[in-house]
Amino acid sequence: MKTSWRALVAVALLAGFPALVFLVVGGLAVAEYFFFVHHSGILAIKLGIVAVPVSYALLKALFAIERTRGDAGSGVPVTRADEPALWALVEELAAAVGTRPPDTITLVSEVNAGVRERTGWLGLRVRRREMFIGAQLLAGLRHDQLCALLGHELGHYGNNDTRLAGLTYRGRRSIERALIGLGGDGWFEGLVRKLFVLYAKLYFAVSAAVCRRQELAADAAAARVAGTSAMTSALREIEVLDVAWNFYFDRYVPIGWDAGYLPDRLAGGFQSLLADEARAEEFGRVRQHPPAEEISRYDTHPPTAERIAALEALPEIPGRPDGGHPASEILRDAATTLETAMASDFSDKAKAKRRIGWDRLVDLGVRHSVTRTAAQILGPGGTLAQALDRIDAGRAVELADPELDPPASAGPRARREFAAPSVRERLSTVVEAYLAEAEVAHWKVSWSGPPEFVVDEPYGSELAPALDAASAEHDTAPLRRLLTAAGALPVRS
């Protein structure tokens, strides 16, 4: 079935959705009247107990579509006065793809960009058009790649694709919202919901092919206005930004959370991670081999690899001559604007945290975590001096992880050797906490790996051999001398 015919069928199904609602509600009303006139009022009352809430839920779900004005969401709205260069670019791209520009632009904290229309009549009438641009895109893309992605989003509503496809695209969201209002635990309510779910699945199955075709058409539109290589590289780079942002937000941003801190340069840290040479190979693999995607018949987007292949099959269109500079340069004050946008979806708890620089954040965050872990290792009231005394007394295994499970047949010596790596690791954690408290050591941020523990000299070069001697040879003298000299351990009387 051609896309235009699929779109026509999808729009017909979309228009039939309210008809189905009124058919069910009308049928219930007729049945209620029939029982009331031709049978006892008891049966009419029993039917009404079921029919009234079902009818109310259906009508509420239907009219909820008309009340929908789009999610309020988070983000930072920017006006033409705020960001004239960004608005000028969006208006230029809208004209190039043959559509009108958005009425609003909002910067959001997502690795995504999109255009949304506030609509009425099940998406058949457009009230207002809104554009959303992820701050992560502005932080990590080139200018030509940003042009390509914005051209793609505007291309969804351009005149180069069937108008019916645009209605189909919007109709999916409308029906999804309508289904939210349907519920109930009774068998009849469940039957009605199942009827409408089946109807929605039919619509989604028909419309999904239209939406996937429209995605490819929007890609082609983006290539026309920004260049083929810009669009293909943008698709690859989005995969990198998505992987990098998830890693960054999971591993780096919350590093000082328990200590009460968050970074004051979200965008700057993200850009530092992206620019780290040690991660270049890792990001390069993601660019060349985008993560595999599970596809269902209801998906609206083709896999990234399929989209890239479709673009590469088209005639090569040259890119913009000035597209190699960072996309963030289009903003008046990129650092401040991106920071505000990336923090716009913070929870109240996150907003209550103190914002500090990365170096201080990492030191305080890791220090807090290591100090707490060291206290757990030493036990209530325990001290590093007592731990070293245990080693001297031949009880080093008491410092090992209590969940360590040596072989049942192991003798005392084998158990000590088995526990040695755990003793070394846990003793090291305790020593780090004490050295940090003595202000002769700190942690600093590393975009290539875990935070780096830095110890002032001459203690830094002596620390590893001293820990090895204490854990493997049960000789604590070198470690005691080091800690005493550093002021981390009292002088023994």
Side-chain angles (χ1 to χ4, degrees), residues 75-118:
V76 180
V78 292
T79 65
R80 286 177 175 82
D82 295 329
E83 301 292 347
L86 177 60
W87 270 95
L89 176 63
V90 171
E91 289 169 343
E92 174 195 340
L93 294 171
V97 300
T99 190
R100 68 177 179 85
D103 299 298
T104 63
I105 296 178
T106 302
L107 303 185
V108 295
S109 185
E110 294 181 21
V111 186
N112 196 12
V115 174
R116 182 176 67 195
E117 290 181 327
R118 299 185 181 229

Side-chain angles (χ1 to χ4, degrees), residues 185-490:
D185 299 327
W187 69 269
F188 186 74
E189 292 91 332
L191 181 63
V192 171
R193 177 174 174 79
K194 187 174 183 178
L195 171 65
F196 280 87
V197 168
L198 290 173
Y199 190 96
K201 285 184 176 180
L202 174 61
Y203 176 79
F204 292 159
V206 173
S207 64
V210 180
C211 293
R212 287 194 294 269
R213 178 66 182 86
Q214 193 182 24
E215 288 297 326
L216 297 177
D219 285 345
R224 287 193 295 272
V225 300
T228 306
S229 62
M231 186 57 198
T232 55
S233 66
L235 290 174
R236 294 183 185 278
E237 202 65 27
I238 280 184
E239 299 292 344
V240 172
L241 294 180
D242 189 47
V243 169
W245 176 256
N246 287 334
F247 178 78
Y248 173 74
F249 205 79
D250 289 343
R251 299 289 183 89
Y252 284 89
V253 174
I255 202 167
W257 179 272
D258 291 340
Y261 300 97
L262 281 175
D264 64 356
R265 294 191 308 111
L266 283 172
F270 185 50
Q271 289 171 320
S272 296
L273 177 69
L274 292 173
D276 188 78
E277 293 182 1
R279 296 197 181 275
E281 183 178 351
E282 174 187 354
F283 293 151
R285 288 195 298 269
V286 177
R287 286 188 190 93
Q288 295 304 313
H289 306 287
E293 303 170 56
E294 294 184 7
I295 302 299
S296 79
R297 61 184 302 199
Y298 304 117
D299 284 339
T300 59
H301 286 62
T304 299
E306 182 180 325
R307 294 172 66 183
I308 292 173
L311 283 166
E312 291 176 341
L314 298 173
E316 178 72 22
I317 300 173
R320 303 167 75 96
D322 59 343
H325 58 277
S328 59
E329 291 182 1
I330 201 170
L331 301 174
R332 276 183 164 177
D333 182 356
T336 301
T337 302
L338 294 179
E339 179 67 29
T340 304
M342 287 186 180
S344 62
D345 62 350
F346 273 7
S347 66
D348 291 339
K349 285 186 177 180
K351 291 176 181 177
K353 302 292 182 181
R354 183 182 173 187
R355 307 289 293 279
I356 58 176
W358 273 105
D359 288 334
R360 190 65 177 146
L361 171 81
V362 169
D363 185 40
L364 292 176
V366 179
R367 184 187 299 240
H368 178 85
S369 176
V370 169
T371 300
R372 185 172 56 184
T373 303
Q376 294 171 349
I377 292 172
L378 295 173
T383 65
L384 175 55
Q386 292 172 344
L388 297 178
D389 289 343
R390 290 185 198 176
I391 295 175
D392 290 338
R395 295 157 46 205
V397 291
E398 295 179 9
L399 294 175
D401 186 344
E403 296 184 1
L404 200 65
D405 188 18
S409 59
R413 181 176 179 180
R415 287 176 177 272
R416 287 195 298 271
E417 293 177 353
F418 185 83
S422 178
V423 171
R424 170 68 162 77
E425 179 183 357
R426 287 160 66 85
L427 178 61
S428 176
T429 298
V430 174
V431 168
E432 287 178 4
Y434 271 72
L435 290 174
E437 185 179 2
E439 298 298 333
V440 295
H442 67 279
W443 287 266
K444 71 175 186 179
V445 65
S446 170
W447 302 111
S448 305
E452 182 181 352
F453 185 59
V454 181
V455 184
D456 295 347
E457 293 298 343
Y459 318 116
S461 57
E462 298 174 0
L463 180 59
L467 285 170
D468 290 338
S471 57
E473 303 170 16
H474 298 171
D475 178 8
T476 66
L479 186 57
R480 288 183 186 274
R481 285 195 299 270
L482 184 155
L483 293 170
T484 301
L489 198 67

Side-chain angles (χ1 to χ4, degrees), residues 52-224:
V52 170
V54 168
S55 298
Y56 172 77
L58 289 173
L59 293 173
K60 180 181 177 182
L62 179 62
F63 289 108
I65 297 171
E66 285 305 296
R67 291 195 302 272
T68 297
R69 297 293 180 264
D71 299 324
S74 57
V76 180
V78 292
T79 65
R80 286 177 175 82
D82 295 329
E83 301 292 347
L86 177 60
W87 270 95
L89 176 63
V90 171
E91 289 169 343
E92 174 195 340
L93 294 171
V97 300
T99 190
R100 68 177 179 85
D103 299 298
T104 63
I105 296 178
T106 302
L107 303 185
V108 295
S109 185
E110 294 181 21
V111 186
N112 196 12
V115 174
R116 182 176 67 195
E117 290 181 327
R118 299 185 181 229
T119 64
W121 294 98
L122 283 173
L124 300 176
R125 182 163 67 93
V126 177
R127 302 178 188 273
R128 189 173 72 175
R129 181 172 295 177
E130 303 166 329
M131 170 168 273
F132 301 87
I133 304 174
Q136 290 82 344
L137 301 181
L138 289 162
L141 294 179
R142 301 192 312 261
H143 181 79
D144 60 339
Q145 293 170 331
L146 176 67
C147 291
L149 290 180
L150 298 183
H152 167 92
E153 296 303 333
L154 291 165
H156 279 306
Y157 302 100
N159 295 323
N160 296 315
D161 199 5
T162 172
R163 293 173 184 265
L164 295 180
L167 299 179
T168 301
Y169 197 85
R170 296 192 296 269
R172 292 176 65 92
R173 183 62 172 165
S174 298
I175 289 183
E176 286 172 358
R177 289 187 174 279
L179 289 176
I180 293 174
L182 301 179
D185 299 327
W187 69 269
F188 186 74
E189 292 91 332
L191 181 63
V192 171
R193 177 174 174 79
K194 187 174 183 178
L195 171 65
F196 280 87
V197 168
L198 290 173
Y199 190 96
K201 285 184 176 180
L202 174 61
Y203 176 79
F204 292 159
V206 173
S207 64
V210 180
C211 293
R212 287 194 294 269
R213 178 66 182 86
Q214 193 182 24
E215 288 297 326
L216 297 177
D219 285 345
R224 287 193 295 272

Side-chain angles (χ1 to χ4, degrees), residues 12-37:
L13 289 170
L14 178 61
F17 191 83
L20 180 60
V21 170
F22 287 121
L23 179 63
V24 172
V25 172
L28 290 173
V30 170
E32 179 71 16
Y33 175 79
F34 177 81
F35 278 112
F36 187 78
V37 173

